[in-house]
Amino acid sequence: MPLTQAREIAAAKRLENVRYAIRDLASVADEVIKQGHKVLPLNVGDPLNFDFQTPPHIIEAAYKAMRDGKNGYAPSPGIPEALEAIRGEATRKGITTVQDVFVTSGVSETVDLCISALVNPGEDILTPKPDYPLYSAVLCKLGIALNAYDLNEDDAWHPELADIERKLTPRTRGLVLINPNNPTGSLCSRQMLEQIADIARRHNLVAFADEIYDKLILPDSNGDVTPHLAFAAVAPDVPCITFGGMSKNYLVPGWRIGWGIVSGDAAAIKSYTEGIHRLLRARLCANHPEQYAIKPALEGPQDHLMEVQRKLRSRRDLTQKWCEATPRVSCVAPRGAFYAFPRIDIPESDEVFVKELIRQKHVMVVHGSGFGQKPGTQHFRIVFLPDEKTLTSAYAGIADFIRERYGVA
Ligand SMILES: Cc1ncc(COP(=O)(O)O)c(C=O)c1O
């Protein structure tokens, strides 16, 4: 018998605004699954849920490392051969002012460490709106007020420079740029990168360039593929951390391997980099055996990327055609990653739209409000990773749902 009545243990108040809409919808999906239905998951960006396979030579490298006894702790910044391979990748991407590189347990950890090592209470970091929700979650965890700049749907979802200028305060320390973007699938032009670099220079900001999707670039409407441009290559002098990783480009999201590439003026970035290393040491190390797959991934055969890009192009085209043909739906064509962020013209919230869509048609997408969006607009995010047959059936369900619930406009 317990001696005293247990009292409820409350979670920290600063977590109240931490949301992860992508996974929060799971409870609605569970209801539907319990009723015996199969749910089509167009909500999680995990290629391994669909017809994508990890390149075998990468699996072999991690397996070999385990067999060879690489199962203890690794050096905190990462194993030397992985660090060297990441530096090589930075050089191939035209980043000429690399000051440091380190390996993490996924870009998720890079985000957490790099933001934690920079901001003091009362300071802020500019994050995009809509954004990948981890950024706001980490800032909430640190008790930092959110300061989001708009991405402009009327300008291919590019950052709205005037809004960045409006939101800057003397206490703004950094700016997050996700390129290619999640959730919009947009890709930044060189001119846009240069303009953002100019703002960073004038306001002494650290640029956080989240480029985790940099090898998943899709053709434009003329069929041309513009190679991805690293922010740090365009702005070698600006203090920058480029976030990269294995999850998406090399199809191993469950391995949790990411990295950070620190670039910019050596003297300017030194003390901040030391702060990052303090945190790297405190958390011991990233996953060890998987780090042996970084060099084979970055330097070995890249054949799988052709196949991934072929599938993504076909699925993006199908998605775009459906958006164009469906009443109440419009969409800026995605140019990278595997997300589309269509706008919907409906008389209720996009959260209700998404939940009812799961209940009635068993298709799961994520509401735009889960990523943040301009007031008065409604969107949903589609993950277009499933094969064409599955997508066609999911889109037919969404179109029927829109017609039945709202009429044709
Ligand atoms: C923009 C962006 N950054 C970071 C991450 C996290 O990546 P990782 O699996 O390397 O933690 C994701 C995952 O979807 C993402 O979309």
Side-chain angles (χ1 to χ4, degrees):
M1 277 290 283
L3 294 178
T4 53
Q5 176 82 36
R7 276 180 296 141
E8 188 188 341
I9 312 294
K13 284 207 173 51
R14 61 180 188 282
L15 301 189
E16 269 163 18
N17 290 325
V18 175
R19 290 214 179 77
Y20 201 72
I22 302 164
R23 291 187 182 234
D24 289 350
L25 291 171
S27 58
V28 185
D30 284 347
E31 258 173 51
V32 173
I33 292 164
K34 273 197 199 116
Q35 291 159 5
H37 302 290
K38 200 166 169 266
V39 171
L40 282 178
L42 270 56
N43 62 317
V44 179
D46 183 350
L48 278 297
N49 283 345
F50 306 99
D51 59 345
F52 296 86
Q53 281 95 35
T54 308
H57 72 282
I58 299 179
I59 297 180
E60 192 46 49
Y63 181 39
K64 181 173 181 307
M66 287 183 199
R67 282 197 321 258
D68 289 350
K70 312 288 188 193
N71 300 306
Y73 291 123
S76 294
I79 61 168
E81 69 176 74
L83 298 176
E84 190 196 302
I86 295 164
R87 279 183 182 270
E89 177 72 0
T91 304
R92 279 191 293 281
K93 296 219 64 175
I95 307 176
T96 53
T97 52
V98 176
Q99 305 301 342
D100 189 40
V101 295
F102 53 88
V103 182
T104 55
S105 295
V107 170
S108 303
E109 195 191 28
T110 327
V111 170
D112 196 346
L113 291 181
C114 294
I115 291 181
S116 303
L118 185 70
V119 271
N120 293 299
E123 296 174 343
D124 65 72
I125 290 202
L126 280 163
T127 52
K129 186 168 83 180
D131 89 328
Y132 177 63
L134 174 65
Y135 288 94
S136 29
V138 167
L139 290 163
C140 283
K141 186 180 84 169
L142 295 170
I144 301 294
L146 298 185
N147 188 10
Y149 67 88
D150 287 329
L151 301 181
N152 185 354
E153 189 167 12
D154 297 328
D155 178 25
W157 287 117
H158 269 133
E160 203 173 303
L161 297 171
D163 198 46
I164 295 181
E165 298 274 11
R166 262 194 302 277
K167 302 277 167 61
L168 276 163
T169 75
R171 297 173 150 260
T172 305
R173 302 288 312 280
L175 180 144
V176 175
L177 179 72
I178 305 174
N179 180 40
N181 189 265
N182 177 7
T184 67
S186 67
L187 190 64
C188 272
S189 62
R190 174 184 285 274
Q191 191 195 11
M192 179 53 62
L193 297 179
E194 280 167 355
Q195 286 169 314
I196 293 171
D198 181 51
I199 295 177
R201 259 179 222 118
R202 280 190 282 114
H203 296 273
N204 200 29
L205 305 179
V206 175
F208 297 112
D210 183 337
E211 299 180 355
I212 187 168
Y213 298 99
D214 68 344
K215 294 185 200 276
L216 307 182
I217 305 299
L218 297 164
D220 63 15
S221 52
N222 302 321
D224 298 328
V225 179
T226 327
H228 178 263
L229 257 179
F231 175 87
V234 172
D237 56 317
V238 172
C240 175
I241 312 210
T242 303
F243 302 163
M246 301 266 286
S247 292
K248 316 289 179 173
N249 291 341
Y250 294 99
L251 303 166
V252 285
W255 282 11
R256 316 305 304 125
I257 289 287
W259 52 80
I261 301 168
V262 182
S263 59
D265 178 82
I269 202 98
K270 186 165 177 282
S271 155
Y272 172 44
T273 308
E274 281 167 11
I276 294 174
H277 277 270
R278 246 176 271 160
L279 290 179
L280 286 167
R281 287 193 291 276
R283 63 62 153 133
L284 301 182
C285 66
N287 308 338
H288 187 184
E290 290 85 349
Q291 292 190 43
Y292 287 88
I294 295 176
K295 186 178 163 77
L298 293 176
E299 295 176 5
Q302 306 290 308
D303 307 351
H304 73 286
L305 282 173
M306 299 268 286
E307 179 67 0
V308 170
Q309 280 160 1
R310 188 188 61 72
K311 286 180 177 171
L312 292 184
R313 177 182 185 167
S314 154
R315 294 166 198 189
R316 187 276 311 264
D317 291 350
L318 191 155
T319 303
Q320 194 58 27
K321 277 202 190 104
W322 176 80
C323 289
E324 282 162 14
T326 306
R328 294 181 178 274
V329 176
S330 58
C331 188
V332 175
R335 298 282 316 283
F338 34 67
Y339 307 103
F341 200 58
R343 184 161 177 170
I344 32 170
D345 174 16
I346 54 167
E348 61 186 345
S349 78
D350 48 26
E351 186 166 351
V352 173
F353 169 87
V354 160
K355 288 184 173 163
E356 282 309 305
L357 180 67
I358 302 173
R359 290 194 181 105
Q360 294 184 31
K361 302 293 176 188
H362 318 139
V363 177
M364 203 162 162
V365 292
V366 184
H367 41 294
S369 45
F371 301 94
Q373 58 195 352
K374 275 193 180 165
T377 65
Q378 332 254 35
H379 299 83
F380 61 100
R381 190 193 72 170
I382 299 172
V383 171
F384 56 78
L385 285 168
D387 62 39
E388 287 74 358
K389 188 160 165 260
T390 310
L391 282 180
T392 304
S393 142
Y395 294 156
I398 304 177
D400 287 349
F401 175 78
I402 291 175
R403 199 182 50 251
E404 288 159 17
R405 195 168 172 90
Y406 311 110
V408 287

